């Protein structure tokens, strides 16, 4: 209001649309007797297949029991052991023959080495090369003298890659930059259990310079012991050459170790990623329960 902010009744003119209809107001409910699904409140009933809302309404959420069931993109599954979601499907993350690639669940052939390239399962890593960027992951047939620059597969005799950007290679007789060990953007999905469960960090990119990457809000993750320790900010990941740094998005969170930077295409949040890592790595001495210890 012109004379300042004031608390108004919920049915006042401030809460009316241009059409004259009242704007939907938040509803207060007792969680012991009612349940809220998709913005609709209804009486709680001990039935996991309960529907809410009337025909024509946008509320179509189902109720599930989180202790015995898991909900994957609206599909309900029984929770058994280390069950996690992969798109609409549920699978046991301890099963070596099951692999989730960007929301698509695959069965890994027995005795075959398999990695993810986007939603595709790559079963011949020596014959194919997966190039990864923030935008996409593309699978190419392996060729001599070619390399990845983000999701592009380029001829190193014609092009050079620096920090995820291609530029024409120097002509014969011109000074050529000494080749350095690449530190490309990698997928967390392709880490084996030993590397995944080893110590790693996660942080939000604050800046990228010639000398390294500055991360804020950094956590050190010890997956086997289910311990997460916050570090002082900023935390600098030193890089041997600025061209070896992958192209990163400022303000986005990434996993990293002493050399490489990883992205997680299977989970939508840091908490989901942490839950996956600790569920996969933790070896409890007592009957299994998920415990996450945060040390200040």
């Amino acid at each position: 209001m012109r004379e300042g902010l004031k608390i108004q009744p919920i049915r006042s003119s401030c809460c009316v649309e241009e059409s004259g209809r009242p704007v939907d107001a938040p509803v207060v409910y007792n969680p012991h007797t009612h349940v809220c699904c998709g913005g609709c409140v209804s009486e709680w009933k001990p039935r996991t297949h309960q529907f809410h809302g009337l025909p024509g309404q946008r509320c179509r959420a189902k109720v599930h029991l989180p202790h015995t069931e898991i909900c994957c993109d609206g599909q309900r599954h029984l929770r058994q052991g280390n069950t996690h979601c992969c798109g609409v499907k549920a699978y046991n993350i301890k099963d070596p023959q099951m692999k989730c690639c960007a929301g698509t669940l695959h069965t890994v052939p027995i005795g075959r080495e398999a990695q993810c390239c986007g939603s595709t399962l790559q079963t011949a890593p020596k014959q194919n090369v997966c190039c990864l960027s923030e935008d996409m992951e593309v699978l190419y047939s392996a060729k001599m003298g070619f390399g990845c620059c983000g999701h592009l597969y380029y001829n190193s005799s014609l092009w050079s890659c620096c920090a995820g950007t291609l530029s024409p290679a120097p002509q014969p007789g011109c000074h050529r930059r000494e080749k350095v060990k690449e530190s490309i953007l990698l997928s967390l999905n392709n880490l084996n259990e030993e590397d995944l469960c080893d110590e790693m960090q996660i942080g939000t990119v604050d800046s990228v310079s010639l000398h390294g990457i500055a991360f804020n809000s950094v956590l050190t993750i010890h997956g086997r012991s289910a311990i997460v320790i916050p570090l002082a900010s900023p935390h600098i990941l030193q890089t041997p050459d600025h061209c070896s740094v992958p192209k990163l998005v400022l303000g986005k969170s990434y996993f990293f170790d002493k050399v490489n930077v990883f992205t997680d295409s299977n989970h939508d949040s840091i908490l989901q990623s942490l839950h996956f890592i600790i569920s996969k790595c933790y070896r409890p001495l007592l009957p299994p329960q998920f415990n996450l210890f945060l040390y200040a």
Side-chain angles (χ1 to χ4, degrees):
M1 302 179 68
R2 293 181 180 178
E3 60 268 25
L5 297 177
K6 291 184 180 180
I7 297 177
Q8 299 291 323
I10 197 67
R11 297 300 177 186
S12 70
S13 59
C14 293
C15 298
V16 177
E17 296 177 345
E18 294 181 357
S19 62
R21 293 179 300 178
V23 177
D24 291 338
V27 177
V28 178
Y29 73 99
N30 185 344
H32 297 287
T33 59
H34 290 73
V35 63
C36 176
C37 285
C40 299
V41 175
S42 60
E43 185 179 355
W44 169 258
K45 298 178 182 179
R47 297 179 61 188
T48 59
H49 60 277
Q50 174 179 342
F51 281 83
H52 300 275
L54 298 174
Q57 292 184 340
R58 60 185 178 91
C59 182
R60 276 287 185 266
K62 299 178 183 178
V63 176
H64 76 282
L65 302 177
H67 297 292
T68 59
E69 295 177 321
I70 185 170
C71 183
C72 301
D73 285 348
Q75 298 294 321
R76 192 173 55 241
H77 304 273
L78 290 177
R79 187 183 294 275
Q80 298 176 349
N82 292 280
T83 304
H84 279 246
C85 290
C86 182
V88 298
K89 297 182 179 179
Y91 74 111
N92 183 357
I93 60 174
K94 300 282 188 179
D95 188 347
Q97 288 187 255
M98 304 304 296
K99 194 169 186 66
C100 182
C101 297
T104 301
L105 188 61
H106 298 274
T107 300
V108 179
I110 298 177
R112 297 287 296 274
E113 182 182 353
Q115 293 188 338
C116 294
C117 186
S119 60
T120 303
L121 186 68
Q122 182 184 3
T123 56
K126 294 183 179 180
Q127 300 176 15
N128 300 312
V129 175
C130 182
C131 295
L132 168 66
S133 71
E134 284 291 338
D135 301 318
M136 64 182 72
E137 297 179 46
V138 184
L139 195 63
Y140 298 90
S141 297
K143 296 180 181 180
M144 291 290 294
F146 280 67
C148 289
C149 188
H151 63 270
L152 301 175
Y153 198 46
Y154 71 100
N155 188 334
S156 59
S157 64
L158 302 176
W159 301 88
S160 62
C161 180
C162 183
T165 302
L166 283 175
S167 59
Q171 297 299 316
C174 297
H175 174 71
R176 185 155 184 162
R177 178 177 161 278
E178 183 180 353
K179 184 175 177 60
V180 298
K181 182 180 178 182
E182 293 183 355
S183 179
I184 60 176
L185 185 63
L186 301 175
S187 174
L188 194 74
N189 304 344
N190 292 330
L191 283 177
N192 58 42
E193 187 170 339
E194 181 179 355
D195 293 333
L196 179 69
C197 300
D198 198 6
E199 178 182 314
M200 68 167 47
Q201 284 80 36
I202 184 173
T204 303
V205 177
D206 180 68
S207 63
V208 179
S209 68
L210 297 178
H211 306 290
I213 309 169
F215 289 94
N216 284 328
S217 305
V218 179
L219 302 174
T220 295
I221 307 164
H222 300 271
R224 296 198 188 281
S225 56
I227 294 176
V228 177
I229 304 174
L231 301 182
S233 293
H235 179 86
I236 307 298
L237 174 63
Q238 295 183 348
T239 53
D241 186 281
H242 76 280
C243 282
S244 66
V245 177
K247 191 173 183 179
L248 305 175
V249 177
L250 297 181
K252 184 174 179 178
S253 297
Y254 296 88
F255 291 88
F256 60 95
D257 55 21
K258 295 180 180 179
V259 178
N260 299 306
V261 181
F262 304 89
T263 183
D264 184 5
S265 60
N266 278 346
H267 302 101
D268 298 325
S269 68
I270 294 176
L271 286 178
Q272 289 181 359
S273 299
L274 289 175
H275 183 219
F276 174 83
I277 292 173
I278 295 178
S279 298
K280 179 101 173 165
C281 301
Y282 185 44
R283 298 290 186 269
L285 299 177
L286 298 175
Q289 277 188 345
F290 174 71
N291 296 304
L292 176 62
F293 302 96
L294 180 62
Y295 285 74

